[in-house]
């Protein structure tokens, strides 16, 4: 049976597919616009499927995927019982608190925080003893301060363009993020060819 990869849809998946190609794997059915969900290489050795990033650790923990590639942000927000084996040094960005430049935090008053990462955000503000009301949003989080839904956001910043174009600034950096290769615990011991494949990834 092929080695199955769960990849987070988007830019990082495209970079990983480039790595597969560098390693000599060819996916005849794959194109960026394809609506197909699972792609297998010509030799049948490896296959991958594309999912939303928070689902990657779920598929790997359950063993539906042997390997997953996903950002550190997702692993911290959605902890999973998997091995994290490699830092692939792609998909680099930072987890930040952002708000309008004039926004200041008064630690006696509750602030409203919007985030796709409520756990990370809550842990951060708990550490500061800052009372918060946490609002979970699924995307376009920058809208929350712009429309008055929240005082600040906790979100990933890559180029900084989204913040800039919406008049927001970084108030604090929580941590650096990059993509990690995670592996199902049973697959690591039992799946033929998996260790060799991970070694090849490490070299690239
Ligand atoms: C992410 C993130 C920011 C943006 C940051 O959103 O949540 O909105 O990228 O990138 P930048 O610093 O390069 O501008 P994504 O594009 O994944 O979509 P989403 O807002 O729908 O989650």
């Amino acid at each position: 049976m092929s080695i199955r990869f769960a990849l987070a849809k988007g830019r990082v998946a495209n970079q990983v597919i480039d790595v597969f190609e560098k390693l000599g794997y060819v996916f005849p059915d794959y194109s960026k616009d394809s609506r197909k969900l699972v792609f297998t290489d010509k030799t049948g050795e490896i296959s991958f499927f594309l999912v939303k990033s928070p689902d990657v650790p779920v598929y790997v923990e359950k063993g539906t995927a042997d390997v997953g590639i996903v950002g550190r942000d997702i692993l911290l927000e959605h902890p999973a019982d998997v091995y994290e084996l490699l830092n692939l040094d792609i998909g680099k960005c930072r987890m930040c608190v952002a708000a309008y430049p004039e926004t200041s935090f008064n630690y006696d008053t509750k602030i409203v925080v919007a985030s796709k990462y409520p756990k990370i955000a809550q842990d951060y503000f708990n550490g500061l003893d800052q009372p918060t009301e946490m609002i979970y949003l699924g995307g376009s989080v920058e809208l929350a301060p712009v429309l008055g839904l929240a005082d600040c956001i906790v979100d990933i910043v890559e180029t900084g363009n989204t913040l800039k174009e919406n008049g927001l600034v970084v108030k604090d950096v929580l941590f650096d993020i990059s993509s990690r290769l995670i592996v199902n615990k049973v697959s690591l011991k039992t799946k033929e060819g998996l260790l060799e494949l991970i070694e090849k990834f490490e070299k690239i």
Side-chain angles (χ1 to χ4, degrees), residues 8-46:
K9 271 182 210 163
R11 207 172 43 79
V12 168
N14 295 332
Q15 283 179 271
V16 175
I17 294 161
D18 287 346
V19 172
F20 285 149
E21 282 169 3
K22 276 189 197 147
L23 292 173
Y25 296 104
V26 178
F27 297 88
D29 293 345
Y30 178 72
S31 80
K32 281 182 184 131
D33 306 322
S34 173
R35 300 296 296 166
K36 229 179 122 122
L37 295 172
V38 183
F39 302 93
T40 304
D41 97 285
K42 257 185 176 173
T43 64
E45 260 178 66
I46 66 173

Short mmCIF file of all heavy atoms in Angstrom, two decimals, residues 8-46:
data_model
loop_
_atom_site.label_atom_id
_atom_site.label_comp_id
_atom_site.label_asym_id
_atom_site.label_seq_id
_atom_site.Cartn_x
_atom_site.Cartn_y
_atom_site.Cartn_z
N ALA A 8 -1.93 20.29 3.74
CA ALA A 8 -2.83 21.44 3.91
C ALA A 8 -2.91 22.17 2.57
O ALA A 8 -1.89 22.54 1.99
CB ALA A 8 -2.29 22.35 5.00
N LYS A 9 -4.12 22.34 2.09
CA LYS A 9 -4.35 23.03 0.81
C LYS A 9 -3.65 24.37 0.78
O LYS A 9 -3.62 25.08 1.79
CB LYS A 9 -5.86 23.36 0.69
CG LYS A 9 -6.68 22.30 0.06
CD LYS A 9 -8.13 22.79 -0.03
CE LYS A 9 -9.07 21.62 0.05
NZ LYS A 9 -10.43 22.00 0.36
N GLY A 10 -3.13 24.75 -0.38
CA GLY A 10 -2.57 26.10 -0.51
C GLY A 10 -1.11 26.09 -0.91
O GLY A 10 -0.61 25.11 -1.45
N ARG A 11 -0.45 27.19 -0.55
CA ARG A 11 0.91 27.43 -1.03
C ARG A 11 1.89 26.35 -0.59
O ARG A 11 2.73 25.90 -1.36
CB ARG A 11 1.36 28.79 -0.47
CG ARG A 11 2.38 29.49 -1.29
CD ARG A 11 2.60 30.89 -0.75
NE ARG A 11 2.68 30.88 0.71
CZ ARG A 11 3.75 30.53 1.40
NH1 ARG A 11 4.85 30.19 0.79
NH2 ARG A 11 3.74 30.54 2.72
N VAL A 12 1.77 25.92 0.69
CA VAL A 12 2.72 24.93 1.20
C VAL A 12 2.54 23.60 0.47
O VAL A 12 3.52 22.93 0.12
CB VAL A 12 2.60 24.78 2.73
CG1 VAL A 12 3.36 23.56 3.22
CG2 VAL A 12 3.12 26.03 3.42
N ALA A 13 1.29 23.23 0.17
CA ALA A 13 1.05 21.98 -0.57
C ALA A 13 1.77 22.04 -1.91
O ALA A 13 2.42 21.07 -2.32
CB ALA A 13 -0.44 21.75 -0.76
N ASN A 14 1.70 23.19 -2.57
CA ASN A 14 2.37 23.31 -3.87
C ASN A 14 3.88 23.13 -3.73
O ASN A 14 4.51 22.48 -4.57
CB ASN A 14 2.06 24.66 -4.51
CG ASN A 14 0.58 24.76 -4.85
OD1 ASN A 14 -0.09 23.74 -5.09
ND2 ASN A 14 0.05 25.97 -4.86
N GLN A 15 4.44 23.66 -2.63
CA GLN A 15 5.88 23.50 -2.42
C GLN A 15 6.23 22.04 -2.16
O GLN A 15 7.25 21.54 -2.62
CB GLN A 15 6.34 24.36 -1.23
CG GLN A 15 6.46 25.83 -1.58
CD GLN A 15 6.90 26.66 -0.39
OE1 GLN A 15 6.08 27.14 0.39
NE2 GLN A 15 8.18 26.83 -0.22
N VAL A 16 5.36 21.34 -1.42
CA VAL A 16 5.63 19.92 -1.11
C VAL A 16 5.53 19.09 -2.39
O VAL A 16 6.35 18.19 -2.62
CB VAL A 16 4.65 19.40 -0.03
CG1 VAL A 16 4.84 17.91 0.20
CG2 VAL A 16 4.83 20.16 1.27
N ILE A 17 4.56 19.43 -3.23
CA ILE A 17 4.42 18.68 -4.49
C ILE A 17 5.66 18.89 -5.36
O ILE A 17 6.15 17.97 -6.01
CB ILE A 17 3.10 19.09 -5.20
CG1 ILE A 17 1.92 18.62 -4.32
CG2 ILE A 17 3.01 18.47 -6.59
CD1 ILE A 17 0.59 19.30 -4.60
N ASP A 18 6.23 20.11 -5.30
CA ASP A 18 7.50 20.35 -6.02
C ASP A 18 8.60 19.45 -5.47
O ASP A 18 9.42 18.93 -6.23
CB ASP A 18 7.95 21.81 -5.85
CG ASP A 18 7.09 22.76 -6.67
OD1 ASP A 18 6.34 22.28 -7.55
OD2 ASP A 18 7.14 23.98 -6.41
N VAL A 19 8.62 19.27 -4.14
CA VAL A 19 9.63 18.39 -3.53
C VAL A 19 9.41 16.95 -4.01
O VAL A 19 10.37 16.26 -4.39
CB VAL A 19 9.59 18.46 -1.98
CG1 VAL A 19 10.50 17.41 -1.36
CG2 VAL A 19 9.98 19.86 -1.49
N PHE A 20 8.16 16.50 -4.04
CA PHE A 20 7.87 15.15 -4.55
C PHE A 20 8.46 15.00 -5.96
O PHE A 20 9.08 13.99 -6.29
CB PHE A 20 6.35 14.91 -4.64
CG PHE A 20 5.66 14.66 -3.33
CD1 PHE A 20 4.33 15.06 -3.14
CD2 PHE A 20 6.29 14.00 -2.30
CE1 PHE A 20 3.67 14.81 -1.95
CE2 PHE A 20 5.63 13.76 -1.09
CZ PHE A 20 4.32 14.17 -0.92
N GLU A 21 8.25 16.03 -6.77
CA GLU A 21 8.71 15.94 -8.16
C GLU A 21 10.24 15.89 -8.23
O GLU A 21 10.80 15.13 -9.00
CB GLU A 21 8.13 17.09 -8.98
CG GLU A 21 6.68 16.77 -9.32
CD GLU A 21 5.88 17.92 -9.92
OE1 GLU A 21 6.45 19.00 -10.14
OE2 GLU A 21 4.67 17.71 -10.15
N LYS A 22 10.88 16.68 -7.32
CA LYS A 22 12.36 16.65 -7.28
C LYS A 22 12.85 15.25 -6.90
O LYS A 22 13.93 14.82 -7.30
CB LYS A 22 12.88 17.65 -6.24
CG LYS A 22 13.00 19.04 -6.77
CD LYS A 22 13.72 19.93 -5.77
CE LYS A 22 13.48 21.38 -6.12
NZ LYS A 22 13.41 22.27 -4.98
N LEU A 23 12.06 14.55 -6.10
CA LEU A 23 12.45 13.21 -5.67
C LEU A 23 12.09 12.17 -6.75
O LEU A 23 12.32 10.97 -6.55
CB LEU A 23 11.73 12.84 -4.36
CG LEU A 23 12.17 13.62 -3.11
CD1 LEU A 23 11.28 13.28 -1.91
CD2 LEU A 23 13.63 13.32 -2.76
N GLY A 24 11.51 12.63 -7.85
CA GLY A 24 11.24 11.73 -8.97
C GLY A 24 9.83 11.17 -9.01
O GLY A 24 9.53 10.31 -9.85
N TYR A 25 8.95 11.64 -8.13
CA TYR A 25 7.56 11.14 -8.16
C TYR A 25 6.73 11.98 -9.13
O TYR A 25 6.82 13.21 -9.11
CB TYR A 25 6.94 11.19 -6.76
CG TYR A 25 7.62 10.28 -5.77
CD1 TYR A 25 8.49 10.79 -4.79
CD2 TYR A 25 7.43 8.91 -5.83
CE1 TYR A 25 9.12 9.95 -3.90
CE2 TYR A 25 8.07 8.06 -4.93
CZ TYR A 25 8.92 8.59 -3.97
OH TYR A 25 9.55 7.76 -3.09
N VAL A 26 5.97 11.29 -9.94
CA VAL A 26 5.15 11.99 -10.95
C VAL A 26 3.68 11.68 -10.67
O VAL A 26 3.30 10.51 -10.49
CB VAL A 26 5.54 11.51 -12.37
CG1 VAL A 26 4.66 12.19 -13.43
CG2 VAL A 26 7.01 11.79 -12.63
N PHE A 27 2.86 12.72 -10.63
CA PHE A 27 1.42 12.55 -10.37
C PHE A 27 0.65 12.95 -11.63
O PHE A 27 0.34 14.13 -11.83
CB PHE A 27 0.99 13.41 -9.18
CG PHE A 27 1.65 13.02 -7.90
CD1 PHE A 27 2.87 13.57 -7.55
CD2 PHE A 27 1.07 12.06 -7.07
CE1 PHE A 27 3.51 13.18 -6.38
CE2 PHE A 27 1.70 11.68 -5.90
CZ PHE A 27 2.92 12.24 -5.55
N PRO A 28 0.35 11.98 -12.50
CA PRO A 28 -0.24 12.32 -13.79
C PRO A 28 -1.59 13.03 -13.68
O PRO A 28 -1.91 13.87 -14.53
CB PRO A 28 -0.42 10.96 -14.48
CG PRO A 28 0.31 9.98 -13.66
CD PRO A 28 0.52 10.53 -12.31
N ASP A 29 -2.37 12.76 -12.64
CA ASP A 29 -3.71 13.34 -12.52
C ASP A 29 -3.72 14.71 -11.87
O ASP A 29 -4.75 15.38 -11.84
CB ASP A 29 -4.60 12.46 -11.61
CG ASP A 29 -4.87 11.14 -12.24
OD1 ASP A 29 -4.62 11.01 -13.44
OD2 ASP A 29 -5.33 10.23 -11.50
N TYR A 30 -2.57 15.13 -11.29
CA TYR A 30 -2.60 16.35 -10.50
C TYR A 30 -2.47 17.62 -11.34
O TYR A 30 -1.61 17.73 -12.20
CB TYR A 30 -1.48 16.35 -9.44
CG TYR A 30 -1.48 17.63 -8.65
CD1 TYR A 30 -2.48 17.89 -7.73
CD2 TYR A 30 -0.49 18.60 -8.88
CE1 TYR A 30 -2.50 19.10 -7.03
CE2 TYR A 30 -0.52 19.80 -8.18
CZ TYR A 30 -1.53 20.04 -7.27
OH TYR A 30 -1.56 21.23 -6.59
N SER A 31 -3.36 18.56 -11.08
CA SER A 31 -3.16 19.92 -11.57
C SER A 31 -3.77 20.82 -10.49
O SER A 31 -4.63 20.38 -9.71
CB SER A 31 -3.86 20.16 -12.90
OG SER A 31 -5.23 20.39 -12.66
N LYS A 32 -3.30 22.07 -10.43
CA LYS A 32 -3.76 22.97 -9.35
C LYS A 32 -5.27 23.16 -9.35
O LYS A 32 -5.88 23.41 -8.32
CB LYS A 32 -3.05 24.32 -9.47
CG LYS A 32 -1.65 24.21 -8.90
CD LYS A 32 -0.89 25.52 -8.94
CE LYS A 32 0.52 25.26 -8.45
NZ LYS A 32 1.56 25.79 -9.28
N ASP A 33 -5.88 23.03 -10.54
CA ASP A 33 -7.33 23.28 -10.63
C ASP A 33 -8.16 22.01 -10.50
O ASP A 33 -9.39 22.08 -10.53
CB ASP A 33 -7.67 23.93 -11.99
CG ASP A 33 -6.84 25.17 -12.22
OD1 ASP A 33 -6.62 25.89 -11.23
OD2 ASP A 33 -6.41 25.39 -13.36
N SER A 34 -7.50 20.88 -10.34
CA SER A 34 -8.25 19.62 -10.31
C SER A 34 -9.18 19.56 -9.09
O SER A 34 -8.86 20.07 -8.03
CB SER A 34 -7.26 18.46 -10.26
OG SER A 34 -7.97 17.27 -10.06
N ARG A 35 -10.33 18.95 -9.26
CA ARG A 35 -11.27 18.78 -8.14
C ARG A 35 -11.13 17.38 -7.54
O ARG A 35 -11.85 17.01 -6.63
CB ARG A 35 -12.73 18.99 -8.59
CG ARG A 35 -13.02 20.34 -9.17
CD ARG A 35 -12.86 21.45 -8.16
NE ARG A 35 -13.81 21.35 -7.07
CZ ARG A 35 -13.71 22.03 -5.93
NH1 ARG A 35 -12.68 22.82 -5.73
NH2 ARG A 35 -14.62 21.90 -4.99
N LYS A 36 -10.20 16.59 -8.10
CA LYS A 36 -9.95 15.27 -7.55
C LYS A 36 -9.38 15.44 -6.13
O LYS A 36 -8.78 16.47 -5.82
CB LYS A 36 -8.89 14.60 -8.43
CG LYS A 36 -9.25 13.19 -8.87
CD LYS A 36 -8.16 12.63 -9.75
CE LYS A 36 -7.72 11.40 -9.04
NZ LYS A 36 -7.69 10.18 -9.46
N LEU A 37 -9.57 14.44 -5.29
CA LEU A 37 -9.14 14.61 -3.89
C LEU A 37 -7.89 13.81 -3.53
O LEU A 37 -7.14 14.20 -2.65
CB LEU A 37 -10.29 14.23 -2.94
CG LEU A 37 -11.52 15.15 -3.04
CD1 LEU A 37 -12.66 14.59 -2.22
CD2 LEU A 37 -11.18 16.56 -2.59
N VAL A 38 -7.69 12.67 -4.19
CA VAL A 38 -6.53 11.85 -3.86
C VAL A 38 -5.71 11.64 -5.14
O VAL A 38 -6.27 11.33 -6.20
CB VAL A 38 -6.96 10.47 -3.31
CG1 VAL A 38 -5.74 9.65 -2.90
CG2 VAL A 38 -7.90 10.62 -2.13
N PHE A 39 -4.39 11.83 -5.00
CA PHE A 39 -3.51 11.69 -6.16
C PHE A 39 -2.43 10.67 -5.84
O PHE A 39 -1.79 10.76 -4.80
CB PHE A 39 -2.86 13.04 -6.49
CG PHE A 39 -3.88 14.11 -6.76
CD1 PHE A 39 -4.32 14.94 -5.73
CD2 PHE A 39 -4.44 14.27 -8.02
CE1 PHE A 39 -5.26 15.92 -5.96
CE2 PHE A 39 -5.39 15.25 -8.26
CZ PHE A 39 -5.81 16.08 -7.23
N THR A 40 -2.23 9.73 -6.77
CA THR A 40 -1.23 8.68 -6.55
C THR A 40 -0.15 8.81 -7.62
O THR A 40 -0.46 9.10 -8.77
CB THR A 40 -1.89 7.29 -6.64
OG1 THR A 40 -2.96 7.26 -5.69
CG2 THR A 40 -0.91 6.17 -6.31
N ASP A 41 1.10 8.61 -7.21
CA ASP A 41 2.19 8.75 -8.18
C ASP A 41 2.22 7.54 -9.11
O ASP A 41 1.65 6.49 -8.80
CB ASP A 41 3.52 8.98 -7.45
CG ASP A 41 4.31 7.71 -7.29
OD1 ASP A 41 3.92 6.89 -6.44
OD2 ASP A 41 5.29 7.53 -8.03
N LYS A 42 2.90 7.72 -10.24
CA LYS A 42 2.92 6.70 -11.30
C LYS A 42 3.30 5.31 -10.80
O LYS A 42 2.74 4.31 -11.24
CB LYS A 42 3.96 7.11 -12.35
CG LYS A 42 3.39 7.69 -13.60
CD LYS A 42 4.56 7.92 -14.54
CE LYS A 42 4.09 8.41 -15.89
NZ LYS A 42 5.22 8.79 -16.72
N THR A 43 4.26 5.25 -9.87
CA THR A 43 4.74 3.95 -9.40
C THR A 43 3.81 3.36 -8.34
O THR A 43 3.97 2.21 -7.94
CB THR A 43 6.13 4.10 -8.73
OG1 THR A 43 5.97 4.92 -7.56
CG2 THR A 43 7.13 4.72 -9.67
N GLY A 44 2.88 4.18 -7.82
CA GLY A 44 1.98 3.71 -6.76
C GLY A 44 2.64 3.72 -5.38
O GLY A 44 2.06 3.28 -4.39
N GLU A 45 3.87 4.29 -5.29
CA GLU A 45 4.59 4.30 -4.00
C GLU A 45 4.00 5.28 -3.00
O GLU A 45 3.94 5.00 -1.81
CB GLU A 45 6.04 4.72 -4.25
CG GLU A 45 7.01 3.57 -4.31
CD GLU A 45 8.40 4.10 -4.61
OE1 GLU A 45 8.96 4.81 -3.77
OE2 GLU A 45 8.91 3.79 -5.71
N ILE A 46 3.65 6.48 -3.49
CA ILE A 46 3.09 7.46 -2.57
C ILE A 46 1.80 8.08 -3.12
O ILE A 46 1.58 8.10 -4.34
CB ILE A 46 4.09 8.59 -2.20
CG1 ILE A 46 4.43 9.46 -3.41
CG2 ILE A 46 5.36 8.04 -1.60
CD1 ILE A 46 5.27 10.67 -3.02
#
